[in-house]
Amino acid sequence: MDSSLSLSDGRRVGVCEWGDREGWPVLLVHGTPGSAKWRPGPAGLSHVRERGVRLITVSRPGYGVSDRLVGRTVAAWAGDAAEVLTVLGAGSDVGIVGVSGGGPHALACGARLSGTRAVAVLAGAGDLAIDEAFVGMADASAELWRSAFESGGALETMIGRIASAMTRRRPAEVAERVLAGFPPSAVALMERDPQVRRVMVDDVVEAFAGGGWGWLDDARAFRSPWEFDLAEVAVPVWLAHGVDDEFAPVHQAQRLAGELPDAMMSIRSDVGHMDLIADAFNEAVDWLIAQR
């Protein structure tokens, strides 16, 4: 089910729900760029239904139909999530799973969102304000993140070009071209699994429905203080990561695990960024259920 909700400050946010509508709420925090359209493949959606999970996805500000919030911090997302879950009647007992750029935002929920039972992070991004974060990262990705605060920089320019192209050509075609520029492991996964490709195309198209500026705001939030301490995350956290991740090198997650009060890591060999997310999603759901 797709819908949009209004927050107390008047901003609109896009929401999708999957799985068992009467089940235990799990908030799925999408990646960067991304949107509420991101979801697991057919096997993951079947697993969610079978386990009695109500999966809720929300587009962060600046993505999809969600109004932009310039200057937002990572911590601010917990407030938006709390309002959405309250409106949906799902806020008093919830699991959180964050993928890729959703990882820091999922941890913010673990620190600031009342009712959170546990947080699972799959291939999550780390603190991009430190130079060490870029060691082992694909050069193209590092260039984009580093340019977050540059007017007319690489990231701002790329977002503008993609958004403009989507107004002139078929959005799905533009999304395909964007995805073709991802690291080889991600491209190979999409070639092997048409369902993954379809999800990614839908996600990119929706992410740019309002211009795609959530990507720039995510990047600036990652490159700035997150406005919460990892020590505040009092709930259990499970971080799964692939050794071959070129988007978010594994040492980023290892650093987070070392600063979280109650964290366990699952490091997978011979696995890249998107492979890890696809392979570990069902396990993340099962782990969250076990923490209730």
Side-chain angles (χ1 to χ4, degrees), residues 241-263:
H241 221 93
V243 170
D244 296 335
D245 195 319
E246 294 180 276
F247 282 109
V250 66
H251 61 79
Q252 292 185 9
Q254 291 171 318
R255 187 173 185 273
L256 293 176
E259 297 184 21
L260 289 162
D262 183 7

Side-chain angles (χ1 to χ4, degrees), residues 32-58:
T32 302
S35 74
K37 295 286 188 182
W38 195 92
R39 70 277 186 191
L45 291 179
S46 293
H47 188 72
V48 163
R49 286 192 295 270
E50 292 166 2
R51 295 307 312 269
V53 165
R54 177 187 182 185
L55 196 66
I56 300 167
T57 56
V58 183

Side-chain angles (χ1 to χ4, degrees), residues 171-254:
E173 176 187 340
V174 178
E176 292 271 8
R177 288 180 174 272
V178 171
L179 293 169
F182 277 30
S185 64
V187 173
L189 175 61
M190 288 185 283
E191 289 176 347
R192 292 195 307 271
D193 191 335
Q195 295 293 343
V196 170
R197 188 180 200 87
R198 178 183 174 186
V199 168
M200 294 301 296
V201 169
D202 289 349
D203 189 38
V204 172
V205 170
E206 180 68 11
F208 280 86
W213 296 108
W215 190 356
L216 184 66
D217 296 334
D218 268 359
R220 289 175 173 174
F222 296 150
R223 296 278 284 156
S224 303
W226 290 3
E227 299 296 342
F228 73 95
D229 293 328
L230 292 174
E232 294 179 56
V233 185
V235 299
V237 177
W238 182 62
L239 302 106
H241 221 93
V243 170
D244 296 335
D245 195 319
E246 294 180 276
F247 282 109
V250 66
H251 61 79
Q252 292 185 9
Q254 291 171 318

